[in-house]
Amino acid sequence: MRTVIVVLVVLGCGLLFWLLRYPCVPGRARFTFSFGTEERAARRALSDARGERQSAYDKARRSEADAERRWSERVAPYRKRVQELQAARAALPKPGQGQAVRPKRWLPPLELHQHVLLFMTKEASDGAERPSVDERLPLAGIAVEFGHTRDNVHIRVTRPDGTSRTEHYPRDREVAAYDMVEDIRNQVLRHEEFLRRREAREAELVAEIKRAEADLAQAGEAGRPELDTVRQAARTRRARADAQLRAARDGWKEDAGGLRPWR
């Protein structure tokens, strides 16, 4: 019994599919089911139009895909060049804190690094092994002076905005304080040279990126006419196939089945 039901369902689905492809009204059912010459010719005309439309769409899709692939291959080297230059710009070294500079000559609370001068707190915070950072001062544009009085020596650091901060030390640290000042001055010069080189390199890369982007745009435009021609031909091919199928559907409705096929 179950097998019979399955067979009936399959046959019913097949009949429904056939009626969707070749619809009819009761008085014209022979065009849908008959195997006479006229009826078969009517069904073949509709089926051929459907096949031609599918073939036209497949050919249009392949021609467009081939044209887009050729266009992509044309611009790929230029796009790669732009990406490489952008990556090189993104990879430029950034002046973070940098490595410690001669830490054995540091004088608390001053700590000198490649790109910053740190002012540390006088004492370690709760649970910390060493003092925390009180001020992080980028080296660019700062000035440092060594000074002394009868009772002490001092290191005065002047910020780019003109404000300053002074650290005092006993006279027996005079040589160490002078050495620290010397290290800071030398590192300021190195840091500023680093910034100049980085800015110059970034300017070079920006100019190269603009030229590469212009080359990319030019290459893309050079290949655009071929791509547009292929796309227009594909649209024309699809439109012609659609028109032929519409005509076949109209012919079926008027001359054969009496109903317009669904596709």
Side-chain angles (χ1 to χ4, degrees), residues 62-82:
R62 287 195 297 270
S63 65
E64 286 180 316
D66 289 342
E68 289 170 358
R69 175 183 51 78
R70 290 192 297 271
W71 184 84
S72 296
E73 291 174 349
R74 175 193 291 270
V75 303
Y78 301 96
R79 182 177 290 114
K80 181 180 179 182
R81 176 60 176 165
V82 171

Side-chain angles (χ1 to χ4, degrees), residues 78-220:
Y78 301 96
R79 182 177 290 114
K80 181 180 179 182
R81 176 60 176 165
V82 171
Q83 293 171 346
E84 290 174 344
L85 290 170
Q86 290 174 337
R89 184 185 180 189
L92 286 174
K94 296 177 176 57
Q97 179 168 299
Q99 298 178 347
V101 176
R102 305 183 75 170
K104 292 183 179 180
R105 290 169 39 130
W106 289 352
L107 277 179
L110 297 176
E111 294 187 3
L112 179 61
H113 296 263
Q114 283 181 303
H115 305 297
V116 297
L117 178 64
L118 301 181
F119 291 86
M120 310 300 291
T121 56
K122 299 295 184 179
E123 298 179 355
S125 57
D126 293 342
E129 296 182 357
R130 62 189 303 269
S132 59
V133 176
D134 182 45
E135 182 179 1
R136 187 184 307 271
L137 186 60
L139 293 181
I142 72 170
V144 59
E145 302 174 31
F146 168 81
H148 60 86
T149 65
R150 184 176 61 182
D151 299 322
N152 57 48
V153 296
H154 62 264
I155 297 175
R156 178 176 292 112
V157 179
T158 303
R159 305 179 184 90
D161 64 1
T163 60
S164 62
R165 181 169 179 172
T166 304
E167 299 295 336
H168 298 273
Y169 303 96
R171 286 301 301 258
D172 61 1
R173 306 305 303 274
E174 179 176 356
V175 174
Y178 187 84
D179 290 342
M180 186 69 185
V181 169
E182 183 179 71
D183 289 343
I184 295 172
R185 287 174 175 169
N186 290 337
Q187 194 58 37
V188 167
L189 295 176
R190 296 188 189 99
H191 172 71
E192 292 176 341
E193 176 60 23
F194 165 84
L195 292 181
R196 283 192 293 270
R197 290 198 307 269
R198 186 186 186 283
E199 291 172 0
R201 179 56 181 157
E202 184 172 22
E204 291 176 0
L205 287 172
V206 169
E208 290 184 44
I209 289 171
K210 289 182 179 179
R211 288 193 294 268
E213 288 175 339
D215 293 340
L216 173 59
Q218 184 177 1

Side-chain angles (χ1 to χ4, degrees), residues 17 20-21 46 50 53-54 245 249 260-263:
F17 178 73
L20 287 174
R21 288 178 59 83
L46 182 57
R50 287 167 171 157
R53 180 181 183 276
Q54 184 62 50
L245 179 56
R249 293 172 66 207
R260 184 183 300 277
W262 70 282
R263 60 176 294 276

